[in-house]
Amino acid sequence: MVEIEIDGKKVEVQEGTMVLEAANKVGTYIPHFCYHKKLSIAANCRMCLVEVEKAPKPLPACATPVTPGMIVRSHSDKAINAQKGVMEFLLINHPLDCPICDQGGECQLQDLAVGYGGSSSRYEEEKRVVVPKDPGPLISMKEMSRCIHCTRCVRFGQEVAGVMELGMLGRGEHSEITTFVGKTVSSELSGNMIDLCPVGAILSKPFRYKARTWELSRRKSVSPHDGLGSNLQVQVKGGKVMRVLPLENEDVNECWLTDKDRFAYEGLDSADRLTKPMIKQGGEWQETEWQTALEYVAHGLRNIRHEHGADAVAALAAPYSTLEELTLLQKIVRGLGSENIDFRLRQSDFALDGKVTPWLGMPIAEISQLNRVFVIGSFFRKDQPLLAARIRQSVIKRDAQLNVLHATDDDLAIPVANKIIRAPSTWLAALGEVVAAVAQAKNIGAPAGFENIQPSAEAKGTAASLLSGESKAVFLGNAAAQHPQASELHAAAQWIAQTTAAKFGYLTEAANTVGGYIAKALPSNGANALQFFDQPRKAYLLLNAEPEFDCFDPLVARAALEQAEMVVALSPYKHALDYADVLLPIAPFTETAGTFVNCEGRAQSFNGTVKPLGDARPGWKVLRVLGNLLELQGFDYEASEAIRNEVLGAANLADVNLQSRLNNFADLQPQMVQGGGAGQLERIADVPIYFSDAIARRSPPLQMTPDAAAPKAWISPVLARQMDISDGMQVRVTQGQGSAVVAAGIDPKLPETVVRLATSHESTKSLGGMFGAVSVEKV
């Protein structure tokens, strides 16, 4: 430790600490623009100049390391004059257009100019003008004349997002921040550049000119869009969500947000919003009152139970439904005498039911400390952007090693130590090679069936990597959890984790995937989500679920729903119009109170930020009234907190430890099970980042990004040559009873027998499961 003095206050800090960080520790504010605690030091704005005793001139506090006995003066005449000189230079070319600037009221330059700027300028020359840029639908760079060249946006792209999408051209006053020629900014984390920009140069394009910061009221909330549970600051004007910003939480999302978390709010006021209950009469949709609609539903459910038995009733919930909604839904289904309730809509192997309650297996914050990671079956960068960012930081800054087993060799924007890229049907065999390599390296016996496997060089590299680290983890991604051999993959991955002394967990899919287990919104001995459709039921309750986009096999789901006697859709949006009988408008996360349990088992509650639109009602209230109309016990709740407290067992979230209820370890020995036909074409289906849930699917700015482009059927160059298919050509992909015509794409990194074709999209909802045999032909 080193002791220094700042403005008369003594402080002890770690050797190597910069003066600015030491000043923060004693509560002394030093003005700055380019410094940011999460980015590397650039020292190019010079606003943080301070006087250091015995130094001949002022030094930048952000880039000056402390030395024993150093005496720093941040508010001396010498320091203040230096800072005022820097501010004068910064304002020479600044357009000073604060009255029309969206950053007005929350602008660092504006704030500091009050204290350090002059009342007039000595410079009367013409100010420079910078040509506006168009970096895409999410961020606006129309006013780049305001840029002060702090390079925060450039450093963020390189260091956190892993993609250098912005850079600086020119020198002196000809310097400008720009995109690469003809390129848009398309990183899944690009919106963070808006927060980082200390002036009004980079702005939110959807929010631009919508409101001033002082007109907005602020509410805390939690993101429903992925398993991380990012903390949000929702900003509201006139009963409408105007903007979403990150709420800093170092243990969850740090100070970042994904673009999906940041811009999906634009889908909340979609033209698709359902604002009144609707009943289909004689094939025509008619608006009605809540009492009529709920009595109609209760009467229909009683009739179906009476005529076909309780097992004819099934309920499916999207895994971003709140803990309270899932709890009441399962109580209704069980109150009717059925066990047919499930939220695992994209899962296809349920052999682990009752054996595991999947979660991350460790706190999110500890991911940054890992130095060996093995990710199995995950479109990691798009499925979990902020977890990927944490691992990216570990690999870049701490020489950690990332190992991957997957069917596609996507650019993760992370250096990868070992890649095993195989067809999905051979993932278990590939994992078997890693099992064998670990056993050989440790000189122990491999599990039965794995003794004679000859590991590949990649498998040996992965095993060596996992055996060499101190802090390590094995993670199963969404594609592994959705795989038809998920339980066998789990058993092999669990053996690898236990044998290499690694943590073991799941990169869970949605905001409340873990909460679904806590709420018991899954069958204890009934049918599962896949069987609800394979063996069609007579009545379906759909909570936030849009089966054509959210289910493993949309074709089978659609057929089952069309034959049902009653389909009730509880949703914020109009959908299922051709097969549903009742539409009940429930509130999205911004209009209701609720709780999400994120991937690390952290329960996070939130309140509504705006009133429900039209006649929409919070989902838990709708389900409570339905339970009362069905004369079921245990539906006397006055507030959502009462439901939460009952499920979690405590009124104070700080007293809740859900990790003791979660478990990734099953009493299973890994077994080699053959899968897939040799040489047969098979599908791998990703869920595109902006099609993963109903709100994101309806957000216009997200739907204009490259990530929301219509899916292509990606094939290998070998297959393209065999079939004489060129890039962009229309092809028909057939799977089971369904087919879809899409454009072909050629990916040289794909295995020869793999066809990559996304699910959850209008153009592919006529296809079967996310995995399985497919055929491709030219149209």
Side-chain angles (χ1 to χ4, degrees):
M1 300 292 281
V2 174
E3 185 177 82
I4 68 167
E5 184 183 303
I6 301 176
D7 293 341
K9 298 177 188 171
K10 286 198 161 62
V11 61
E12 273 198 353
V13 292
Q14 203 77 36
E15 192 174 349
T17 302
M18 299 299 158
V19 169
L20 186 64
E21 293 162 346
N24 287 340
K25 195 171 178 183
V26 293
T28 297
Y29 177 73
I30 296 174
H32 60 273
F33 292 114
C34 67
Y35 171 80
H36 190 276
K37 62 185 178 181
K38 294 289 183 184
L39 302 176
S40 63
I41 291 165
N44 54 7
C45 79
R46 316 309 279 183
M47 192 66 212
C48 63
L49 292 174
V50 291
E51 181 185 354
V52 177
E53 196 169 88
K54 297 180 183 172
K57 59 182 181 179
L59 299 176
C62 70
T64 303
V66 296
T67 57
M70 178 186 269
I71 297 175
V72 178
R73 299 184 185 94
S74 68
H75 292 87
S76 66
D77 288 345
K78 188 175 181 179
I80 295 286
N81 286 334
Q83 291 161 358
K84 284 186 172 180
V86 170
M87 178 58 74
E88 185 176 19
F89 282 131
L90 285 177
L91 296 179
I92 288 173
N93 275 313
H94 198 79
L96 303 178
D97 55 350
C98 304
I100 62 147
C101 177
D102 261 13
Q103 198 87 342
E106 52 187 11
C107 172
Q108 264 179 279
L109 185 66
Q110 199 177 46
D111 293 344
L112 293 179
V114 172
Y116 300 91
S119 57
S120 60
S121 174
R122 291 183 285 173
Y123 298 91
E124 296 177 354
E125 291 80 5
E126 283 188 16
K127 292 177 183 275
R128 73 178 195 140
V129 176
V130 180
V131 176
K133 317 290 188 296
D134 185 8
L138 303 181
I139 64 177
S140 168
M141 295 172 71
K142 293 279 188 193
E143 313 290 349
M144 290 306 288
S145 299
R146 299 171 184 158
C147 177
I148 60 169
H149 305 145
C150 69
T151 67
R152 280 182 177 185
C153 54
V154 177
R155 284 176 284 146
F156 171 81
Q158 287 176 295
E159 297 165 19
V160 180
V163 188
M164 187 175 174
E165 295 183 294
L166 296 180
M168 186 180 280
L169 291 178
R171 294 177 68 81
E173 76 162 11
H174 301 294
S175 300
E176 59 179 281
I177 301 289
T178 184
T179 59
F180 288 92
V181 179
K183 295 282 188 181
T184 59
V185 173
S186 55
S187 159
E188 61 284 354
L189 300 174
S190 67
N192 293 293
M193 296 176 186
I194 301 163
D195 299 336
L196 287 170
C197 185
V199 295
I202 296 180
L203 298 167
S204 164
K205 192 173 272 188
F207 176 67
R208 194 163 177 250
Y209 296 149
K210 293 277 181 70
R212 308 311 303 262
T213 180
W214 54 84
E215 299 176 304
L216 302 170
S217 55
R218 291 155 174 77
R219 310 275 189 273
K220 295 179 181 179
S221 192
V222 179
S223 167
H225 299 296
D226 64 28
L228 196 73
S230 295
N231 290 198
L232 309 179
Q233 186 185 119
V234 178
Q235 300 190 338
V236 175
K237 177 187 174 186
K240 184 176 176 181
V241 176
M242 303 301 291
R243 182 165 64 164
V244 170
L245 296 176
L247 184 66
E248 186 168 346
N249 185 336
E250 201 60 31
D251 292 334
V252 181
N253 55 305
E254 301 176 272
C255 55
W256 312 124
L257 275 189
T258 68
D259 287 355
K260 181 161 61 169
D261 296 334
R262 185 183 298 271
F263 296 109
Y265 75 88
E266 286 278 313
L268 293 170
D269 293 311
S270 158
D272 279 359
R273 274 302 296 268
L274 180 63
T275 55
K276 285 188 78 69
M278 300 178 77
I279 296 177
K280 190 188 282 182
Q281 298 283 6
E284 296 293 321
W285 283 103
Q286 296 176 359
E287 292 183 349
T288 185
E289 298 303 313
W290 270 108
Q291 187 71 22
T292 307
L294 288 171
E295 285 176 354
Y296 182 87
V297 172
H299 179 70
L301 290 174
R302 279 200 211 93
N303 274 358
I304 286 166
R305 180 178 62 176
H306 176 70
E307 291 175 14
H308 304 285
D311 193 51
V313 178
L316 294 111
Y320 49 86
S321 305
T322 66
L323 187 73
E324 294 79 358
E325 291 166 351
L326 292 171
T327 298
L328 294 190
L329 183 66
Q330 64 90 6
K331 287 181 80 167
I332 285 175
V333 172
R334 291 192 163 99
L336 289 168
S338 173
E339 275 289 326
N340 301 330
I341 165 79
D342 212 337
F343 67 93
R344 302 161 300 171
L345 305 186
R346 294 192 178 109
Q347 198 167 311
S348 60
D349 176 8
F350 296 87
L352 291 171
D353 278 12
K355 298 185 175 72
V356 298
T357 43
W359 68 297
L360 189 62
M362 61 191 297
I364 290 166
E366 287 182 14
I367 284 185
S368 304
Q369 307 306 316
L370 293 173
N371 52 29
R372 298 291 184 270
V373 183
F374 185 23
V375 176
I376 300 162
S378 174
F379 295 93
F380 191 33
R381 184 176 156 191
K382 302 298 182 181
D383 287 349
Q384 302 286 354
L386 289 176
L387 290 182
R390 282 187 184 260
I391 289 179
R392 183 177 297 117
Q393 296 286 294
S394 294
V395 172
I396 293 170
K397 293 181 179 176
R398 300 177 55 252
D399 294 324
Q401 292 181 5
L402 173 64
N403 306 280
V404 171
L405 164 61
H406 201 35
T408 65
D409 188 6
D410 290 353
D411 178 12
L412 300 179
I414 309 173
V416 179
N418 297 283
K419 295 177 186 175
I420 306 174
I421 307 300
R422 304 280 178 88
S425 62
T426 63
W427 282 359
L428 186 57
L431 219 45
E433 292 178 20
V434 180
V435 168
V438 169
Q440 288 174 18
K442 291 196 73 171
N443 202 21
I444 59 173
F450 292 78
E451 309 93 332
N452 301 319
I453 292 176
Q454 292 302 313
S456 63
E458 297 91 338
K460 287 178 180 175
T462 301
S465 174
L466 286 172
L467 289 166
S468 65
E470 293 173 5
S471 177
K472 43 205 171 184
V474 176
F475 293 124
L476 291 164
N478 290 353
Q482 294 153 357
H483 196 282
Q485 293 177 318
S487 53
E488 285 96 353
L489 293 173
H490 174 106
Q494 177 182 308
W495 187 92
I496 292 167
Q498 289 175 319
T499 310
T500 60
K503 297 279 179 68
F504 177 52
Y506 279 79
L507 303 169
T508 59
E509 180 184 14
N512 212 22
T513 299
V514 176
Y517 288 90
I518 300 295
K520 297 185 171 58
L522 67 167
S524 53
N525 58 8
N528 55 54
L530 206 59
Q531 293 167 337
F532 293 169
F533 297 130
D534 286 341
Q535 301 147 26
R537 313 287 147 159
K538 293 299 179 185
Y540 290 96
L541 292 169
L542 306 176
L543 175 63
N544 285 315
E546 299 181 347
E548 305 99 310
F549 304 116
D550 295 334
C551 287
F552 177 82
D553 191 329
L555 201 60
V556 170
R558 176 72 186 237
L561 291 162
E562 285 177 341
Q563 64 76 48
E565 290 180 16
M566 174 178 261
V567 175
V568 181
L570 295 90
S571 172
Y573 299 102
K574 291 177 186 172
H575 73 97
L577 295 176
D578 42 355
Y579 57 76
D581 300 283
V582 185
L583 299 180
L584 301 178
I586 62 170
F589 79 105
T590 49
E591 299 169 18
T592 183
T595 305
F596 293 139
V597 182
N598 73 354
C599 59
E600 68 174 357
R602 178 190 295 254
Q604 301 185 105
S605 289
F606 54 91
N607 291 311
T609 56
V610 293
K611 289 181 179 177
L613 193 64
D615 282 352
R617 294 289 179 268
W620 71 269
K621 288 188 176 181
V622 174
L623 292 165
R624 181 196 64 189
V625 175
L626 184 56
N628 289 332
L629 289 173
L630 288 165
E631 298 175 355
L632 303 176
Q633 297 298 309
F635 283 82
D636 308 323
Y637 306 104
E638 292 296 319
S640 64
E641 289 80 5
I643 310 169
R644 179 197 71 194
N645 298 345
E646 182 183 293
V647 176
L648 300 183
N652 186 352
L653 289 183
D655 300 331
V656 175
N657 177 17
L658 293 180
Q659 294 181 0
S660 59
R661 300 196 213 173
L662 306 173
N663 166 47
N664 289 323
F665 293 95
D667 186 17
L668 286 175
Q669 279 301 307
Q671 296 197 345
M672 279 303 292
V673 180
Q674 294 306 314
Q680 187 177 27
L681 286 187
E682 56 183 285
R683 181 184 182 191
I684 175 84
D686 58 313
V687 179
I689 181 170
Y690 301 137
F691 287 97
S692 59
D693 62 75
I695 300 174
R697 283 194 280 267
R698 292 172 172 85
S699 169
L702 291 182
Q703 294 308 313
M704 292 161 65
T705 61
D707 276 319
K712 285 185 173 184
W714 293 96
I715 58 176
S716 67
V718 174
L719 184 60
R721 282 195 299 273
Q722 287 174 358
M723 304 190 69
D724 192 25
I725 292 172
S726 56
D727 193 54
M729 183 181 285
Q730 293 290 298
V731 295
R732 177 176 282 105
V733 179
T734 305
Q735 185 181 19
Q737 302 298 309
S739 67
V741 175
V742 294
I746 297 174
D747 182 353
K749 296 178 179 178
L750 270 182
E752 290 181 18
T753 59
V754 171
V755 178
R756 176 179 178 173
L757 182 53
T759 184
S760 301
H761 192 272
E762 190 69 32
S763 63
T764 58
K765 68 180 187 181
S766 56
L767 291 171
M770 296 171 70
F771 297 85
V774 294
S775 64
V776 179
E777 58 184 353
K778 287 196 287 186
V779 173

